[in-house]
Amino acid sequence: MKVCLISAPTANQLGHRAVGGMDAARIMGELAPVGILSLAAVLEEKGLQPEVVDLNRVYYEWLQSSDQKGTTAEADFCRFAGSWFADRHFDFLGLSTVCSSYPLTIRIAGELKRLHPESSVALGGPQASVVDLSTMRAYPFIDLVVRGEAEQTLPQLLETLDSRSSVASVPGLTFRQGGEVLRTPDAPLILDLDSLPFPAFHLFPDVRFCRHFPMELGRGCPFACTFCSTNDFFRRRFRLKSPEHMIAEMRRVKHTYGINSFELVHDMFTVDRKRVVAFCEALLACDEKFYWGSSARTDCIDEELIELMARAGCRGIFFGIESGSARLQKIIDKGLDLKDSAARIQYCDKFKINTAVSLIAGFPDESMNDLQDTAAFFMDSLRYDHADPQLSILSPLADTPIQKQHKASLVLDDDIADMSYRGWNQEPEDYEMIAAHPQIFSSFYSVPTPFVKRDFLKELRDFVLNGMRMLRWLFVGLHQDAGNIVQVFEQWQRWRAENEPDFSADGRTAYYAHRKFPVDFLRFVQQRYIPVHSKASAAMTALLECELAALGYSDEVAGGGNKESDDDELLPESRLALFPGVRLIKLKADFQDIIQRLRQKRPLNQASETPVMLAIRKNGSGSAEVHQLSPLSAELLGLCQDNWTVEEMTAEFLQRKIEIPGVPANLVCLAGIEMLRQQRFISLA
Ligand code: B12
Ligand code: SF4
């Protein structure tokens, strides 16, 4: 039997112009569909030779074909995908599904059935599994849905299809019979995950470009958060691969691909503390070093465990915090103690574990106070260098308690809800499907939010996400000074309405992602926020001036100096200059003290008002690095700005008696110049 397993499209970022071939390969590698590859390995064990098609790669080829010719070879990606399969014949075509690209996947399935009416077209994965009946009723070209974990059921199904027997005996299946769509009982769970073979990564060549290799660590979370779909999918049965099995798989990846950093897939790894400890201890006893990340709840992890995990190579933890409001924590059945959550994030920061702090806004019961609490949690996490707060708007995933509760009142926003924001771009055909079938595509809808306007929510999300990216410390400062960033957001909206009456909500997300947003926003801080609202204007002015200097920058990236002259010996007549891309600014308050206060949440209005000088430069990734200079470095760089020679500078130091106790002024000057050259603040003019 010829079998093809097709991944769900997930690499929506491929359409971005800046993504080149290597970046694309890395993105696709890191999105390797672990589920499909696990199934392919099981089929290989049974003697089949399944093919795996990565739809992300097919999509990338389609984008490339359009780039070269100026127009797309096929205007429609579905047709392009179809043409890709036109000459390839399979008896069974199985497509994996995820909510964000479900309309597109169904359209592709339709195209495949049109081209190969004799093949069985089946869907599997988290989305089709829960909307199986409605999908098959709405789309007659889908022959089958395989629900839930499929390592046991798929081989059974293929055998049954091959022998042309009735599929009604295969568990976990939704199928057609006499014009009806029927379900067989759910398939049993796979309790011993160690019994599964090593996933068929050899059928997915892009995996070798990964920075963080995806490996399954286990399945199932016993909790019951009302917005979550994955707990029910794995039937809340917590399972973990044994440390020996995991380490053997990690070794195999390292030896095959030379990669020792892993994204260990599990919805909630730390349910059973003893087993986490056993895994970490096994890693520590291992003769090879592995780095890894996984997900946890902040109430199922403690300081001692975090420390052990860090020692065992943990470099990242995904924490679903969801809401910063204690009231909502109870309503959504998450039940986290938020003080503890904040403490765990801080502890991870101490051990240099990166944390994704995932927050959701737009719960149906959310009040303005709840929203402010969530925004506050977001902003407070920003104080930690290793924390990466994320803010999404609630999407009612199919078959979740929240979706079921609100299924009669789901709203389809004009900009196709929020899934398209982080998910797949929706074509007009997709939109028609979404609009016609709210139950199948509920994730594109929103639940009513009676206490907070939806537009307000969406703009607030754009505001904080881009603010954090472009103006991090100013945003933290505004949040602390004003008491809550949401108040600043409202003041900004009012100011913008007065000053930019033509602002339209249509291009809002693009506006916030563009440089125009920080330019306008800094004007607001300067003209309105500091004079009218600030309680710590000296500190806020210093933060503002630093951002203004960073923004007013040319695009020149530091590091582009003349390598030869950088290595040249310093001579008395050498003329000095600031290193290309370095800019100096004077502030009337101590920037370091301000940042320290923000990190520790200490009052900003008591920040030291000692004037300081900052050197700002852009680093390779395009963000600005800010360095507060010692008085001596400030003096030297000030003179370099005026292109003085070494001789002139030492003379100036001697005359002004700038010395360190016991070291003569000319030597202080020379040593300082040498040090600043090494740090790439000074170069020869
Ligand atoms: C890793 C991951 C990601 C990765 C990418 C994964 C990838 N390969 O592309 C990233 C971080 C990018 C991601 C993003 C998103 N994700 Co995600 N993700 C996961 C996660 C944690 C693990 C997936 C995995 O590998 N599972 C392990 C394997 C073994 O399970 P599996 O994939 O389900 O496969 C089994 C079965 O489903 C079945 N099966 C699967 N496919 C097929 C196909 C056939 C033919 C058959 C017969 C059977 C079958 O057999 C497999 C073996 O048993 C899951 C949660 C989870 N634990 O599964 C969420 C999950 C899939 N993600 C989810 C969501 C919502 C998203 C986002 C939309 C979130 C967002 N708003 O940003 C985005 C969308 C991405 C996009 N651009 O379109 C939801 C999907 C819910 C739904 N109803 O579809 C899940 C279930 C989590 C949740 N919140 O409930 N995700
Ligand atoms: S803890 Fe996480 S995985 Fe578990 S039910 Fe809640 S949101 Fe879902």
Side-chain angles (χ1 to χ4, degrees):
M1 204 179 190
K2 287 196 73 183
V3 176
C4 180
L5 298 176
I6 304 166
S7 69
T10 45
N12 53 312
Q13 63 274 53
L14 288 180
H16 200 279
R17 288 243 153 251
V19 175
M22 271 312 286
D23 289 338
R26 180 185 52 73
I27 291 170
M28 293 183 274
E30 285 175 8
L31 293 177
V34 173
I36 290 273
L37 297 174
S38 176
L39 295 177
V42 170
L43 297 185
E44 283 186 335
E45 267 192 347
K46 306 265 174 205
L48 292 170
Q49 290 178 323
E51 273 192 40
V52 170
V53 171
D54 179 17
L55 269 191
N56 288 330
R57 170 131 312 270
V58 180
Y59 183 72
Y60 188 65
E61 281 171 20
W62 177 66
L63 290 173
Q64 294 293 97
S65 71
S66 74
D67 277 356
Q68 281 155 20
K69 299 189 185 111
T71 54
T72 43
E74 274 291 353
D76 178 29
F77 171 58
C78 278
R79 293 224 168 239
F80 182 84
S83 65
W84 200 91
F85 282 95
D87 302 329
R88 295 171 165 96
H89 175 80
F90 295 98
D91 303 301
F92 180 89
L93 289 152
L95 295 101
S96 193
T97 63
V98 64
C99 55
S100 50
S101 51
Y102 199 42
L104 175 60
T105 304
I106 291 180
R107 283 198 292 129
I108 293 174
E111 187 65 12
L112 296 182
K113 190 70 186 174
R114 190 182 67 79
L115 289 163
H116 302 289
E118 70 296 348
S119 309
S120 297
V121 172
L123 304 181
Q127 180 66 11
S129 291
V130 292
V131 292
D132 50 328
L133 293 172
S134 45
T135 301
M136 285 186 59
R137 284 179 190 139
Y139 301 103
F141 46 82
I142 309 285
D143 298 316
L144 299 156
V145 172
V146 184
R147 305 189 313 273
E149 298 172 41
E151 281 90 347
Q152 281 171 6
T153 45
L154 183 61
Q156 278 182 48
L157 170 67
L158 295 176
E159 240 171 68
T160 316
L161 289 174
D162 203 22
S163 62
R164 301 188 184 274
S165 323
S166 162
V167 293
S169 61
V170 179
L173 203 67
T174 309
F175 63 107
R176 297 184 189 280
Q177 196 174 62
E180 270 190 276
V181 178
L182 300 175
R183 271 180 168 173
T184 61
D186 285 347
L189 294 177
I190 294 152
L191 295 177
D192 177 15
L193 295 179
D194 282 358
S195 66
L196 296 178
F198 184 70
F201 287 114
H202 60 282
L203 298 180
F204 199 88
D206 282 326
V207 84
R208 66 185 187 279
F209 299 111
C210 279
R211 280 174 315 186
H212 311 293
F213 201 98
M215 298 277 295
E216 197 188 4
L217 178 56
R219 296 179 187 174
C221 168
F223 290 89
C225 308
T226 60
F227 56 89
C228 177
S229 70
T230 182
N231 51 4
D232 261 2
F233 185 83
F234 294 111
R235 290 194 247 138
R236 302 218 185 124
R237 180 69 190 258
F238 176 75
R239 288 156 284 160
L240 207 56
K241 291 186 180 173
S242 69
E244 300 71 38
H245 188 90
M246 271 320 288
I247 292 175
E249 292 200 333
M250 289 158 94
R251 271 185 206 278
R252 185 161 167 180
V253 168
K254 187 172 173 196
H255 296 155
T256 314
Y257 301 101
I259 300 169
N260 69 346
S261 178
F262 295 87
E263 189 53 49
L264 299 182
V265 172
H266 197 305
D267 288 319
M268 220 319 247
F269 168 40
T270 58
V271 167
D272 184 342
R273 191 180 192 283
K274 274 197 206 124
R275 297 182 72 179
V276 182
V277 170
F279 178 58
C280 291
E281 283 175 349
L283 281 169
L284 286 169
C286 174
D287 54 350
E288 294 190 80
K289 187 79 193 162
F290 298 113
Y291 300 98
W292 50 279
S294 196
S295 67
R297 281 174 58 114
T298 51
D299 56 353
C300 294
I301 200 164
D302 53 63
E303 298 181 355
E304 206 185 318
L305 190 60
I306 292 172
E307 195 171 340
L308 176 67
M309 287 166 73
R311 275 198 291 124
C314 177
R315 292 292 176 270
I317 302 181
F318 179 93
F319 284 129
I321 303 294
E322 330 304 357
S323 175
S325 147
R327 192 182 80 92
L328 275 186
Q329 282 290 334
K330 291 197 192 104
I331 295 178
I332 62 175
D333 287 341
K334 185 93 192 187
L336 295 179
D337 176 323
L338 291 160
K339 265 202 186 135
D340 278 358
S341 302
R344 304 289 180 266
I345 294 163
Q346 183 176 12
Y347 215 73
C348 287
D349 187 65
K350 182 173 163 195
F351 285 96
K352 298 192 170 43
I353 294 181
N354 296 313
T355 49
V357 179
S358 175
L359 292 154
I360 301 177
F363 287 104
D365 304 280
E366 193 158 15
S367 67
M368 224 22 204
N369 284 342
D370 297 323
L371 182 62
Q372 291 202 357
D373 289 347
T374 295
F377 202 97
F378 181 101
M379 296 308 301
D380 285 340
S381 311
L382 262 189
R383 296 167 204 271
Y384 304 116
D385 291 335
H386 294 88
D388 176 20
Q390 304 170 353
L391 181 63
S392 312
I393 296 189
L394 178 77
S395 163
L397 297 183
D399 212 32
T400 55
I402 272 196
Q403 185 266 341
K404 287 195 249 182
Q405 193 189 344
H406 295 276
K407 70 176 176 202
S409 52
L410 296 181
V411 184
L412 185 56
D413 274 359
D414 43 1
D415 56 346
I416 324 182
D418 221 52
M419 295 306 290
S420 53
Y421 175 68
R422 289 180 67 197
W424 204 256
N425 283 339
Q426 309 303 330
E427 303 288 334
E429 293 91 325
D430 299 337
Y431 186 79
E432 277 170 30
M433 294 165 73
I434 294 167
H437 299 289
Q439 300 313 320
I440 302 180
F441 304 108
S442 65
S443 58
F444 297 95
Y445 285 69
S446 36
V447 286
T449 49
F451 310 111
V452 184
K453 281 204 177 119
R454 213 140 164 94
D455 263 355
F456 184 89
L457 268 181
K458 289 187 166 187
E459 188 172 343
L460 179 68
R461 177 207 55 202
D462 290 340
F463 175 76
V464 293
L465 290 182
N466 289 293
M468 138 181 126
R469 195 168 57 82
M470 302 180 195
L471 307 166
R472 180 175 184 142
W473 286 111
L474 178 67
F475 259 60
V476 177
L478 287 165
H479 173 66
Q480 178 158 325
D481 187 35
N484 196 297
I485 196 71
V486 177
Q487 264 148 41
V488 181
F489 173 65
E490 289 174 313
Q491 290 157 0
W492 146 249
Q493 276 192 319
R494 278 197 292 278
W495 178 87
R496 199 190 51 210
E498 289 161 26
N499 290 274
E500 307 236 356
D502 296 337
F503 183 85
S504 133
D506 286 349
R508 192 201 53 230
T509 295
Y511 164 81
Y512 274 102
H514 188 262
R515 191 181 152 89
K516 179 144 176 35
F517 160 58
V519 171
D520 291 348
F521 186 73
L522 293 182
R523 244 178 353 116
F524 150 76
V525 175
Q526 192 165 38
Q527 293 172 9
R528 174 67 56 84
Y529 181 81
I530 292 179
V532 179
H533 304 291
S534 179
K535 296 176 211 88
S537 54
M540 291 312 300
T541 304
L543 289 168
L544 169 74
E545 284 179 357
C546 176
E547 296 297 356
L548 281 170
L551 197 75
Y553 232 20
S554 71
D555 278 336
E556 193 174 13
V557 172
N562 178 344
K563 189 80 201 79
E564 258 170 47
S565 73
D566 288 344
D567 294 340
D568 281 355
E569 198 191 328
L570 273 189
L571 301 171
E573 63 276 17
S574 305
R575 207 163 275 287
L576 299 173
L578 286 184
F579 201 88
V582 173
R583 163 182 291 228
L584 300 181
I585 59 160
K586 279 192 187 139
L587 295 185
K588 290 194 187 124
D590 186 332
F591 188 75
Q592 249 169 20
D593 182 44
I594 296 167
I595 299 295
Q596 208 48 32
R597 283 170 180 277
L598 288 177
R599 286 189 194 279
Q600 296 165 353
K601 272 195 180 178
R602 286 189 292 125
L604 278 183
N605 55 8
Q606 290 165 22
S608 155
E609 292 192 26
T610 310
V612 296
M613 194 183 281
L614 303 184
I616 302 185
R617 64 175 160 205
K618 273 205 177 153
N619 59 27
S621 64
S623 49
E625 277 174 19
V626 179
H627 302 263
Q628 182 160 319
L629 300 169
S630 67
L632 179 64
S633 300
E635 202 67 56
L636 282 168
L637 289 182
L639 298 177
C640 290
Q641 215 173 5
D642 298 332
N643 280 177
W644 287 34
T645 63
V646 173
E647 196 169 27
E648 287 164 349
M649 280 165 79
T650 39
E652 178 76 8
F653 264 56
L654 279 169
Q655 197 200 337
R656 284 164 51 188
K657 298 203 172 78
I658 304 176
E659 22 179 73
I660 298 175
V663 186
N666 56 336
L667 287 185
V668 170
C669 178
L670 285 173
I673 292 172
E674 216 31 90
M675 186 189 78
L676 289 167
R677 267 184 97 196
Q678 276 169 24
Q679 293 173 348
R680 311 202 121 200
F681 285 118
I682 291 182
S683 69
L684 298 191

